[in-house]
Amino acid sequence: KKDNRFANRITLHHHIIHRRPPSKSEDHDRFSLLPLCHAFLHPIALHPEATGLENIYLRGLQMGLRLKEIRALIPTVLDFSELKDDIEKPLATYSTGMRLRLAVAVSTMIEPDILLLDEWIGAGDAAFNAKVKERMMSLVEGSRGLVLATHNTGLMKSLCTHGMVLEKGRSIFIGPVDDALAFYREKVAKAQQSQPPRSGKA
């Protein structure tokens, strides 16, 4: 069911984002993790009473960046979002498209070691969507690892080497992506066959 699929993805994101922090002996293996789910990218996550610039700082701090790091990234955010002339204005004065451009620009301004992606991110008009696609591919190619939660088999096969099948929040299969897809299709087919036939209208 669709609800179960959504719950499985939320469970996966929760376990990865809230993983156990490393001990001092593991400190040398620390890595950055960037979750790009639709809830994180949605403009509603921004603060309407703050200016665009203030929102960049607020989101950057949420992402664990230092003020110096955020300041260094601001030119990149302004260039990508094309909001240089409006960045000092309150977010409440922005159009929906402007808010979306700012949310995507800020949320993708760092290159993480591990990229946690909920479906493929697309936003805005055709021109901006092309910029988002280029930015997303750059993040994927520059990361040490990608965790993608999706039901888009073409996207999985183009980006992933291995797949995990979840059921009720638990992993029931891990293996090469083609094997994972075959396992999932077989399971779905068996589930459909086991359902009682629908009775006709009286």
Side-chain angles (χ1 to χ4, degrees):
K1 293 182 179 180
K2 185 176 181 179
D3 290 343
N4 289 336
R5 292 178 179 181
F6 181 74
N8 281 331
R9 285 156 62 175
I10 291 297
T11 300
L12 176 64
H13 291 169
H14 176 82
H15 283 305
I16 295 175
I17 294 172
H18 299 283
R19 70 197 188 283
R20 178 180 63 84
S23 64
K24 290 184 178 180
S25 62
E26 299 171 317
D27 208 42
H28 64 282
D29 289 328
R30 294 182 68 180
F31 53 81
S32 59
L33 174 70
L34 178 61
L36 290 182
C37 57
H38 287 282
F40 193 72
L41 288 164
H42 200 283
I44 199 172
L46 300 174
H47 295 265
E49 296 180 1
T51 66
L53 183 60
E54 290 168 340
N55 269 287
I56 295 175
Y57 278 101
L58 290 171
R59 181 59 68 86
L61 292 172
Q62 289 177 346
M63 296 166 70
L65 299 176
R66 299 181 178 88
L67 290 176
K68 182 179 180 180
E69 294 172 323
I70 298 172
R71 282 194 290 269
L73 289 168
I74 287 176
T76 300
V77 174
L78 297 183
D79 181 64
F80 187 82
S81 65
E82 302 172 2
L83 293 173
K84 184 178 181 179
D85 295 336
D86 301 288
I87 203 63
E88 298 282 0
K89 297 177 182 179
L91 195 75
T93 65
Y94 285 24
S95 67
T96 300
M98 292 167 67
R99 294 188 187 198
L100 184 60
R101 295 207 307 272
L102 181 62
V104 173
V106 175
S107 299
T108 61
M109 65 182 175
I110 64 171
E111 294 188 359
D113 294 314
I114 305 296
L115 180 62
L116 176 58
L117 188 59
D118 179 10
E119 296 294 351
W120 189 254
I121 305 301
D125 56 26
F128 187 69
N129 200 37
K131 290 178 65 174
V132 174
K133 182 178 180 181
E134 183 179 353
R135 170 68 65 86
M136 293 303 300
M137 286 305 303
S138 175
L139 290 176
V140 171
E141 293 171 358
S143 67
R144 288 166 52 187
L146 167 69
V147 179
L148 172 66
T150 183
H151 288 88
N152 184 327
T153 57
L155 185 61
M156 275 189 276
K157 295 181 76 169
S158 66
L159 296 178
C160 303
T161 59
H162 287 71
M164 175 191 296
V165 181
L166 298 176
E167 183 176 62
K168 297 180 180 178
R170 300 183 64 182
S171 171
I172 57 174
F173 182 90
I174 300 177
V177 64
D178 287 332
D179 294 345
L181 289 172
F183 178 90
Y184 176 74
R185 293 192 187 102
E186 183 179 357
K187 186 166 184 60
V188 170
K190 288 181 178 178
Q192 292 174 342
Q193 292 173 1
S194 64
Q195 292 180 352
R198 296 182 179 180
S199 57
K201 294 183 179 180

